[in-house]
Amino acid sequence: MFQALTKKMKTYGLWISYKNHDELHLFIKKVMAIVLLKPTLMDNAYQLLFNQFLKRKRFKPFIIELTKFMFYFKTQWMISKIRKMVTFYDVNFKTNNWSESNNRKRR
């Protein structure tokens, strides 16, 4: 998912701003974290973040790009049919780094 979202940020011209603007970086990380929630809470979280984005004056320079990004996220990752496939809420191992996962089990 991170790779797909990174590619979209680059496509929409958000990547450099994402790397250099702390508040924008944190906001996009929050959007990415939506998949860690229960599927029933994902819509509310998305709407809350979308409203937060619209109110932030510091995001005005990125409004067009960020709007495109948020629309992409909603249409690609928030579809109700695939919610259970994209959410990590009910997964025991929330990483694809198996050595990291294995180290946690040993602690």
Side-chain angles (χ1 to χ4, degrees):
M1 180 179 151
F2 179 75
Q3 288 177 330
L5 293 175
T6 298
K7 187 175 179 181
K8 282 297 175 185
M9 281 190 277
K10 290 177 181 178
T11 301
Y12 298 145
L14 271 175
W15 182 248
I16 293 171
S17 301
Y18 170 77
K19 297 298 264 179
N20 297 323
H21 192 279
D22 290 340
E23 198 168 348
L24 179 65
H25 184 91
L26 180 61
F27 176 79
I28 291 177
K29 285 292 192 181
K30 287 178 183 179
V31 172
M32 291 179 183
I34 289 174
V35 298
L36 299 174
L37 298 172
K38 281 183 178 179
T40 55
L41 299 175
M42 290 171 70
D43 283 324
N44 289 342
Y46 176 86
Q47 196 58 50
L48 202 133
L49 287 173
F50 191 78
N51 291 341
Q52 182 184 35
F53 144 65
L54 292 175
K55 291 178 184 175
R56 289 264 171 95
K57 292 180 181 175
R58 292 185 180 179
F59 291 162
K60 289 228 187 232
F62 326 110
I63 195 144
I64 293 169
E65 298 88 349
L66 200 48
T67 301
K68 289 178 185 178
F69 179 80
M70 293 297 285
F71 180 74
Y72 163 77
F73 188 85
K74 183 170 182 128
T75 57
Q76 186 68 32
W77 300 100
M78 298 289 292
I79 300 170
S80 60
K81 291 179 184 176
I82 65 165
R83 285 255 167 109
K84 292 196 177 193
M85 289 190 304
V86 299
T87 186
F88 284 90
Y89 174 74
D90 208 16
V91 176
N92 290 331
F93 300 105
K94 292 179 174 51
T95 181
N96 61 358
N97 182 342
W98 296 109
S99 64
E100 178 185 317
S101 176
N102 193 28
N103 288 340
R104 282 187 189 210
K105 282 190 344 188
R106 291 183 182 191
R107 287 184 195 167

